[in-house]
Amino acid sequence: MDHTKMANSHRASAATARVFRGTFVHSTPQMALQVLDDVLLGVNTDGKIAFIGNGAELDKLSQKFGFVPSEVTQLAQHEFFMPGMVDTHIHAPQYMYAGTALDLPLLQWLNTYTFPVEAHFKDLELAKRVYTQVVKRTLRNGTTTACYFATIHTDASLLLAQIANDFGQRALVGKVCMDRNNTVKDYKETCQESQDETCRFIAELLNKKYPLVKPVVTPRFALSCSGALLAQLGATAKNNNLHIQSHISENAEEVKLVKELFPESKSYADVYHKYNLLTDKTVMAHGCHLTDEELLLFKETGASVSHCPNSNISLISGILDVRKVLNHEVKLGLGTDIAGGYSASLLDSVRRAMDSSKVLTLRDPEYNTLTFEEVFRLATLGGSQALSLDDQTGNFEVGKDFDALRVNIAAPGGPIDMFQCEKPKILLEKFLNLGDDRNIVEVYVAGKRVVAADSKIQQEDHFKL
Ligand code: GUN
Ligand code: ZN
């Protein structure tokens, strides 16, 4: 197979900055797993993939793209590159209590644990500490793109955006909006405040002109928002062509209450639709209890689902039928949903997604279980599609940004023992099931190395607030 693709337009605007040679694995819309053996991949100074060609054509490619063959970085046999992973749903402030407080169902969990913790993020010092850690932790676990919920606090949400930018993570950041049904003192905003602060958040964040960090309009969920607020947020997103994120149909009690609160709407999805909140730049978390009719609405509007299997199990919310969502041709990515999900690593989401699919097969032996290749695609290309960022990231295509993980299956001190030389597909399967951050020896976002091979220290000196 000839992997050579030339991108003369990119060559014209930027010079080749780095070239790697070795095994690359990624997904395409047609193939859940495509293995590119012994390829040369060049990255331009602007961080975009300039070319992908056969290793055997080193001389020809070096002339064409103007790089020196001796400067090519050669991967070892037990190493490969894969696309960076995309966390389509994560609550940055909740990282503070991740790994605890998993003993209540959603609505009680929110009032007992979540809102009291989030209320503290008015304190910028606390926000700086927690947000720095969550960005560092997710990056080094291979999350090159994250779609974050912050809190209702505008300045702390702007700080999260700044931290993601400083560490080089691609991110969507949302100031959370919620003007009703909150029993926690000091964690409230009125409809007017929520709308005004959302506008300030968007204006100030866009004004920073961060290349990889953008605002996302974030109504918490229908139960937390009045119709008036949802309407204003829908209009704001539309007028500024912005991303939108929220939660939908996570647990049965929530679905029932939404029906009671919005009796005029046909369904939960219809509530959001009515307020122009379902668009092709919308990602809705969970969706465990969505009906076929609601999934049709997702398909029609281009809205996507973030599958958060750890959270769905940890809060005993439900099990998303991923196959049904995919059969409806609805875009779908994976999310950690920290802290409803207890792990900040998308490798955990991959494993829980596999487990959840197998539980559905336990219930119905005819059920078409997801394969690890399909779940790999959800963690990478699927996530980028769900966030409508697949023109920039998600796989190794000429012209996209180089967002990549250099994986060493046999990393010293790592969790995987190797006994023989294995094919790339086996290496990937081992990594997805057994690997951790020790195997992720380098992380690149838009061509920039943001986690380094030897030290794993992420630009500590670069980072100053
Ligand atoms: N629904 C509304 N808010 C939240 C939240 O913070 N976490 C989860 N899992 N579901 C929600
Ligand atoms: Zn969530």
Side-chain angles (χ1 to χ4, degrees), residues 29 154 162 174-175 225 227 254 339 341 399 409 435 452:
T154 305
Q162 183 193 330
K175 171 233 168 295
C225 299
E254 170 206 4
I409 285 297

Side-chain angles (χ1 to χ4, degrees), residues 86-88 145-147 172 243 283 304 382-390:
V86 181
D87 190 341
T88 58
T145 301
C147 188
L172 297 172
H243 282 84
V283 57
S304 66
S384 73
Q385 292 168 331
L387 299 183
S388 280
L389 294 174
D390 51 316

Side-chain angles (χ1 to χ4, degrees), residues 42 70 99 134 162 193 219 227 279 295 316 333 338-339 375:
S70 62
V134 73
Q162 183 193 330
E193 284 165 352
T279 75
L295 285 170
I316 320 179
I338 286 286
V375 179

Side-chain angles (χ1 to χ4, degrees), residues 89 91 247 286 337:
H89 185 79
H91 297 262
H247 299 86
H286 304 286
D337 193 28

Side-chain angles (χ1 to χ4, degrees), residues 16 59 148 178 181 226 257 280 305 330 357 376-377 382 456:
T16 305
D59 290 342
Y148 287 112
M178 42 195 284
N181 285 329
S226 62
L257 286 173
D280 62 359
V305 173
V330 170
S357 189
F376 167 67
R377 176 161 60 187
K456 283 222 160 185

Side-chain angles (χ1 to χ4, degrees), residues 89 91 94 97 106-107 109-110 114-115 118 149 220-221 224 247 250 254 286 311 315 317 337-341:
H89 185 79
H91 297 262
Q94 296 176 24
Y97 68 99
L106 176 66
L107 302 180
W109 175 84
L110 285 172
T114 309
F115 296 156
E118 290 191 8
F149 274 60
R220 178 163 217 125
F221 67 157
S224 289
H247 299 86
E250 180 174 356
E254 170 206 4
H286 304 286
S311 173
L315 300 185
S317 300
D337 193 28
I338 286 286

